[in-house]
Amino acid sequence: MTSLGFPRRSVDRTAVQLYTPDEAADLLRCKASWLKEQARLRRIPFTLVAGAYRFTVDHLIQIIENNEHLPVPEQAVSTSRFTRTTDQHNPARALRSRRPRPRDPI
């Protein structure tokens, strides 16, 4: 157990491979700037070593799994691109466009 009460993971210290954002981006086929931005926003797992982002194989697998999109059933797919849903019980929530402002004469 660690000092915080978490179980200690057994890690083969010789097998730990840390990838830089450029190396990880090459493996994921994305931009290194995207990885850095997502890490900065805490949207993807990473390790901070000496102030630099580093990624393990487990991190890369989690990034892939978290960004995976599975197909949805046919019934859930909308047939129209412009289908609008409104709240039938509260018509005040429906959006309405404003009239255009009158133009100033030149």
Side-chain angles (χ1 to χ4, degrees):
M1 290 278 199
T2 64
S3 61
L4 296 175
F6 295 112
R8 202 175 282 281
R9 289 196 280 173
S10 61
V11 177
D12 181 11
R13 305 244 184 247
T14 60
V16 173
Q17 173 70 40
L18 294 177
Y19 296 100
T20 65
D22 291 328
E23 294 168 339
D26 287 341
L27 292 170
L28 294 174
R29 295 191 173 127
C30 68
K31 292 184 177 183
S33 60
W34 181 85
L35 280 175
K36 292 177 195 175
E37 180 68 9
Q38 298 303 307
R40 183 183 72 80
L41 296 171
R42 305 295 195 258
R43 292 182 181 159
I44 60 173
F46 64 94
T47 299
L48 202 60
V49 178
Y53 297 117
R54 297 291 182 256
F55 302 94
T56 64
V57 173
D58 289 338
H59 291 154
L60 299 179
I61 291 170
Q62 286 179 12
I63 291 168
I64 293 167
E65 289 174 349
N66 291 344
N67 288 290
E68 181 180 27
H69 296 277
L70 299 175
V72 295
E74 287 293 323
Q75 297 171 348
V77 177
S78 174
T79 57
S80 173
R81 194 173 138 208
F82 301 103
T83 302
R84 179 182 291 177
T85 57
T86 58
D87 189 355
Q88 299 296 330
H89 302 291
N90 189 359
R93 297 195 76 190
L95 297 176
R96 294 185 296 179
S97 61
R98 290 197 242 170
R99 289 185 174 193
R101 294 169 44 181
R103 295 183 182 244
D104 293 331
I106 298 179

